[in-house]
Amino acid sequence: NNNKSPFYKENHKTLDEYAESQRRNQDKERWDLMTEKANYSRSLNGYIRRYGDVEGVERFNLTCVAKGHSIDNFVKKYGEIQGLERFNNLVKSKVAKNGSYFGVISYTEKGERLLSSYELTFYNYICAYGLLDYYDVGMYYGGRYGHRSDFYFGILNLHIEIAGMMHHEQYRNKMKLKQELYKETCLVVLPEHMEQIVIDISHRIRELEQ
């Protein structure tokens, strides 16, 4: 609050004004083009274009894993002693801020752990529409990748992905990858559509049971 440096977003009236102040290249069109190319090269489509459909997906997955906040990655980057110290400090800061390393954690009536407020909201809709007996939490997809879905309805063979961070490109690419890999068994749900999706699932289940 006391720092008036232009390097802080809070010290600008709009995000556009902030972005303009941080631009190192005064040719805005050229800068935007460079940024677009850089983002594309790091995206799933960029990997596929360079390495092909199969190898591109594999390399993209490996890159995402390598960028993760894991003990192994910290040790590789900083060495064993400093890496463990940095990782422990990260865990402490997350716990102090969120109450846990994972952020917001709640539990269902079955004792299952929900790792976000969006998952909790979706679970509450499940309860409201009488679907407690039909879902599972933390189910894994088949195949070599082993992705975990947020919710799974076995009677429909339907994995639900609650997409709460679609403003991040890497997150969008991850959701797109899951849809491409698992097709009709994967449904990506935006927060504003959660209740309607639960209603639709309820209707599909009731139709199967009739």
Side-chain angles (χ1 to χ4, degrees):
N1 291 333
N2 295 327
N3 194 325
K4 303 305 179 183
S5 168
F7 290 102
Y8 290 91
K9 287 186 292 187
E10 291 78 6
N11 295 327
H12 296 271
K13 294 180 180 179
T14 65
L15 288 178
D16 288 339
E17 181 183 303
Y18 169 71
E20 181 69 18
S21 74
Q22 301 305 302
R23 197 165 42 80
R24 298 179 183 179
N25 191 320
Q26 296 305 311
D27 184 346
K28 189 174 188 307
E29 291 185 2
R30 182 183 175 192
W31 175 261
D32 290 341
L33 181 61
M34 290 170 57
T35 302
E36 182 180 349
K37 287 183 177 179
N39 288 337
Y40 179 80
S41 69
R42 293 189 290 264
S43 70
L44 174 60
N45 287 335
Y47 273 73
I48 290 175
R49 182 175 182 180
R50 292 197 301 275
Y51 304 110
D53 292 340
V54 177
E55 186 179 355
V57 171
E58 291 179 350
R59 283 177 176 256
F60 178 79
N61 276 331
L62 290 174
T63 300
C64 291
V65 170
K67 291 180 179 179
H69 287 168
S70 67
I71 294 178
D72 289 341
N73 286 346
F74 272 68
V75 169
K76 288 178 183 178
K77 187 173 183 179
Y78 302 107
E80 184 172 356
I81 296 177
Q82 189 177 7
L84 289 173
E85 181 180 351
R86 283 173 176 261
F87 181 79
N88 287 331
N89 288 336
L90 173 68
V91 172
K92 289 179 182 177
S93 67
K94 284 195 171 187
V95 171
K97 181 179 179 180
N98 303 314
S100 78
Y101 177 73
F102 298 100
V104 177
I105 290 184
S106 303
Y107 291 88
T108 71
E109 293 182 1
K110 302 177 183 179
E112 299 158 326
R113 187 168 62 180
L114 305 174
L115 300 183
S116 75
S117 59
Y118 287 132
E119 289 185 21
L120 177 60
T121 300
F122 192 82
Y123 169 73
N124 287 335
Y125 285 132
I126 288 175
C127 295
Y129 289 94
L131 301 180
L132 279 174
D133 295 330
Y134 297 96
Y135 82 97
D136 291 294
V137 171
M139 296 298 292
Y140 283 84
Y141 293 104
R144 59 182 296 187
Y145 297 98
H147 292 122
R148 184 186 71 85
S149 58
D150 297 322
F151 294 88
Y152 177 69
F153 291 86
I155 189 172
L156 302 175
N157 189 26
L158 179 65
H159 291 270
I160 299 293
E161 300 285 354
I162 307 299
M165 296 190 296
M166 294 296 274
H167 52 287
H168 293 299
E169 183 187 22
Q170 185 170 329
Y171 185 88
R172 292 197 304 270
N173 289 335
K174 183 179 179 181
M175 292 296 104
K176 182 178 179 182
L177 173 63
K178 288 186 176 183
Q179 287 182 303
E180 291 174 349
L181 288 173
Y182 309 116
K183 299 188 173 26
E184 67 275 1
T185 65
C186 171
L187 179 61
V188 175
V189 180
L190 298 175
E192 59 266 31
H193 298 155
M194 286 191 291
E195 183 175 14
Q196 185 57 53
I197 292 298
V198 172
I199 293 173
D200 293 343
I201 289 174
S202 176
H203 290 162
R204 291 175 59 185
I205 290 176
R206 304 310 178 203
E207 289 175 358
L208 285 176
E209 291 183 331
Q210 288 179 356

